[in-house]
Amino acid sequence: MPIKNRFAELLPELTAVRRDLHENPEILFDTIRTARIVADKLKAYGVDEIATGIGRTGVVGVIHGKTNDSGKVIGLRADMDALPIHEETGLDYASKTDGAMHACGHDGHTTMLLGAAKYLAETRNFDGTAVVIFQPAEEGGGGGKEMCDDGMMARWNIQEVYGMHNWPNQPLGQFAIRPGAFFASADQFDIVVEGRGGHAAKPHFTVDTTVTAAQIVTALQTIVSRNADPTQQVVVSVTSFETSSKAYNVIPQTVHLRGTVRTMSNELRDMVQDRLTEIVQATAKAFGATAEIDYRRGYPVMVNHDEQTAFAAAVATSVSGQCDVADQTMGGEDFAFMLEERPGAYILIGNGPGADVHHPAYNFNDEAIPAGCSWWAGIIEQRMPAA
């Protein structure tokens, strides 16, 4: 099953859809226009059931095959939200919303799943039920969890679920996947160091929070270098250092640190949280200061299931001729929540050369649409073959 001719025929139509979504990005759960377009198109395609407001602004469509002797139900998920980034592509369909752009290709993901939905509703050449899932708030909002918490899996009896993401600088339309831990957990922390501010000329009368916080930043790096197994992947990054005073001659009363922790296992995740708390509190105490820590667990490790990964790779090979073994990535992906509820797999599709995701010059490559649509369709037709 190479790339289907139907998707080559649909490419101009789907490209127009994708570029319209790109021009009108919406962030987190504010995917009101996007969700409306998705629902309207699913209705026009003849999808059997359409539900909106799942996970606040998510959309679910149900497509029945010609037969349902298998009783199988498979979910296909695409994300819809954009990022709070000012676009710098110079495209004639660049974002019209200042400070928002589709810098991660979710406009392309949504379009590819819409294309697959149109084809599946036209042909229905499968035995079972396909559920197409359009999710808001992947970029930090946990929209996948919200949809699961709304009972999506049980409501439509979804038995397996599959996701896809474009990957810049991977050959255009070529796939890559791996079983097991694939994307990292993504946690966040805020640390507020409290000391005793004062005149910079009289440091002996102060408890210097700048020095204390600097020591904390340095000490936290030992979690990776001295507490974690060197063969395991861990990232601890302090990304913001903000003092309560911006004056040249004032030692600040407080310093606010922000950062992120990424791991590939729950055991490492627990260890890092414990060590971070111990190091911060002990270092602050050593310098006569105090520290408050707000550690928030975000997306869990995204783990591909073995059987479904092998199947997804086989479908990808049938589409593009090969499927590579992907490297693990320390980025987070909230499809992890869906894979915690149901077996499934997440695959990467090459976007060709260009700017990386989350960069203001990034743009989804429309030429990847037929391959992506073909993979979605292949998941349904090959997992639930017509009798």
Side-chain angles (χ1 to χ4, degrees):
M1 190 204 76
I3 294 173
K4 292 181 178 294
N5 291 335
R6 179 59 175 143
F7 295 124
E9 296 170 359
L10 288 173
L11 183 56
E13 174 188 332
L14 294 174
T15 296
V17 171
R18 204 282 295 181
R19 295 184 179 188
D20 175 71
L21 296 177
H22 187 91
E23 197 172 5
N24 297 278
E26 296 173 306
I27 294 172
L28 292 172
F29 291 99
D30 293 331
T31 52
I32 308 302
R33 179 183 185 274
T34 306
R36 183 177 68 250
I37 288 172
V38 166
D40 288 348
K41 289 194 174 298
L42 293 178
K43 183 178 180 180
Y45 297 161
V47 169
D48 299 299
E49 178 187 348
I50 302 163
T52 59
I54 310 301
R56 301 199 219 178
T57 50
V59 181
V60 172
V62 179
I63 306 167
H64 299 302
K66 289 180 179 178
T67 56
N68 190 27
D69 296 334
S70 70
K72 290 183 178 179
V73 183
I74 292 178
L76 310 175
R77 173 271 203 176
D79 35 22
M80 300 188 292
D81 58 318
L83 281 158
I85 295 175
H86 180 75
E87 183 163 351
E88 297 177 5
T89 61
L91 296 166
D92 57 3
Y93 56 87
S95 171
K96 295 190 296 186
T97 304
D98 188 45
M101 75 168 287
H102 272 292
C104 205
H106 297 184
D107 50 344
H109 303 165
T110 295
T111 300
M112 289 189 289
L113 188 52
L114 281 172
K118 181 170 187 173
Y119 167 85
L120 292 169
E122 287 174 348
T123 60
R124 301 182 185 266
N125 189 33
F126 58 96
D127 177 56
T129 302
V131 178
V132 289
I133 302 163
F134 296 87
Q135 179 206 305
E138 191 282 322
E139 297 291 357
K145 185 176 188 301
E146 295 265 358
M147 294 189 84
C148 289
D149 288 349
D150 266 1
M152 176 182 69
M153 297 297 185
R155 177 173 172 179
W156 285 284
N157 189 31
I158 296 170
Q159 297 157 13
E160 295 181 0
V161 64
Y162 294 85
M164 175 168 48
H165 202 293
N166 79 95
W167 213 243
N169 300 307
Q170 180 171 299
L172 179 64
Q174 189 167 306
F175 296 89
I177 197 170
R178 68 179 300 117
F182 193 175
F183 280 62
S185 62
D187 299 337
Q188 296 177 333
F189 60 83
D190 286 81
I191 301 166
V192 177
V193 180
E194 184 84 17
R196 185 167 61 247
H199 200 295
K202 301 176 181 180
H204 53 297
F205 290 135
T206 73
V207 173
D208 193 329
T209 52
T210 303
V211 172
T212 304
Q215 293 295 323
I216 288 172
V217 172
T218 301
L220 288 179
Q221 304 313 304
T222 65
I223 297 174
V224 176
S225 65
R226 289 298 176 266
N227 298 134
D229 183 333
T231 64
Q232 302 297 310
Q233 291 177 277
V234 188
V235 173
V236 179
S237 294
V238 178
T239 56
S240 176
F241 190 118
E242 183 179 4
T243 63
S244 59
S245 171
K246 301 298 184 286
Y248 290 95
N249 60 348
V250 174
I251 291 174
Q253 179 76 14
T254 61
V255 172
H256 187 174
L257 305 175
R258 298 178 180 88
T260 184
V261 171
R262 311 293 176 113
T263 71
M264 279 292 179
S265 75
N266 290 328
E267 293 76 18
L268 275 175
R269 197 179 193 188
D270 292 339
M271 183 276 288
V272 174
Q273 182 174 355
D274 290 343
R275 286 299 292 142
L276 183 144
T277 301
E278 292 165 356
I279 288 171
V280 169
Q281 291 178 340
T283 304
K285 184 177 181 180
F287 285 85
T290 60
E292 293 185 2
I293 306 162
D294 180 15
Y295 192 101
R296 302 178 301 283
R297 293 206 167 192
Y299 298 170
V301 181
M302 193 191 75
V303 180
N304 272 347
H305 297 250
D306 290 348
E307 178 189 345
Q308 286 73 24
T309 300
F311 168 68
V315 175
T317 300
S318 72
V319 171
S320 66
Q322 71 179 83
C323 184
D324 296 333
V325 177
D327 294 329
Q328 289 180 319
T329 173
M330 300 310 287
E333 169 54 62
D334 86 339
F335 189 64
F337 292 113
M338 296 190 187
L339 289 178
E340 286 187 333
E341 293 217 357
R342 295 293 188 272
Y346 193 74
I347 201 166
L348 307 179
I349 182 172
N351 199 53
D356 203 358
V357 293
H358 292 223
H359 188 280
Y362 166 86
N363 186 37
F364 179 83
N365 192 332
D366 293 316
E367 295 303 314
I369 290 174
C373 292
S374 294
W375 183 79
W376 286 128
I379 290 291
I380 298 302
E381 291 183 340
Q382 295 185 41
R383 198 63 163 170
M384 301 184 293

